[in-house]
Amino acid sequence: MSGSAAPLVRGSALARPLDFSYPSNRVVAAGSAGAALLALAFGRPWAQAVGVGGAAFLAWATARELDPDHPVTANAALPVAAAVALLGGAGNPLAGLAVLSGVRLIAGTTGEPATRADHAGMLVQALLAGASGERAAAFLAGGAPLLTAEARSALPAAGALMPTLHRQAGLSWGSALLAASVLPLAGILTAPEAVTSVCDRAGRAVRAQEVQLARHAAVLTLGAGLLSRRTRGLVPLAAALLTVAARRAGSGS
């Protein structure tokens, strides 16, 4: 994964610092900044430019959770998300962050069971996503702790019931087309696949069945977003899933 050789101590199931000694981590730093600068060059306001860079980063990070053995997948997801965000608006970063945290918790890539602080963080993310109208992302963030093998909690699921307080634009042609292109590939995405990457803070490999469960949850979340016409906030997830599916189809796995 990130390649950090952190000590095997009790920590967070969500926190994953970037280790810039690894090429893929340098790619995301340069790529996210480059995407933001490109948006500025196209005349986008600063806030939108930052959103484009954020969407690029979230796509990369989400792909790393869904495809831990293959950093090339994340590197490819970054420009896909940046391009769609640039054409159709950057979307809602609250949704992208909630999705990232949800798939990270389910995939168990840190090797740590969730702490009470992690559960509180997932509750807050579900609340924020729900309040902004991103119901699919809220349910993933809220339901993720119920899908983990260790330290389950029903508390974050309450956040998914948060009523919408401020609804942002949820659909653009680019985000809808990206999401729609992924769903026919669900079978490729969710088929079993071996995983060899080692957890960040545990002396074991990432569990293949947990990564597979995270992919199932991600596909269902994207489908729910498409049905509810809320795809702009799910651009990072859709980009990540598309590049994972392309990698698996290309390798025949």
Side-chain angles (χ1 to χ4, degrees), residues 19-98:
D19 182 348
F20 288 107
S21 65
Y22 286 79
S24 181
N25 294 356
R26 297 195 294 271
V27 166
V28 70
S32 300
L37 291 174
L38 183 62
L40 287 174
F42 273 83
R44 302 295 192 270
W46 271 101
Q48 289 187 19
V50 171
V52 170
F57 175 83
L58 288 169
W60 177 91
T62 302
R64 292 297 289 126
E65 304 301 326
L66 294 172
D67 204 15
D69 282 356
H70 301 279
V72 66
T73 302
N75 296 345
L78 188 154
V80 172
V84 175
L86 182 61
L87 292 173
N92 187 340
L94 296 175
L97 184 60

Side-chain angles (χ1 to χ4, degrees), residues 54-138:
F57 175 83
L58 288 169
W60 177 91
T62 302
R64 292 297 289 126
E65 304 301 326
L66 294 172
D67 204 15
D69 282 356
H70 301 279
V72 66
T73 302
N75 296 345
L78 188 154
V80 172
V84 175
L86 182 61
L87 292 173
N92 187 340
L94 296 175
L97 184 60
V99 166
L100 171 60
S101 296
V103 296
R104 178 172 293 170
L105 200 64
I106 298 169
T109 53
T110 67
E112 295 278 7
T115 65
R116 290 183 179 178
D118 291 332
H119 290 153
M122 298 303 293
L123 172 62
V124 170
Q125 290 183 64
L127 286 169
L128 291 174
S132 63
E134 300 289 350
R135 196 65 53 197

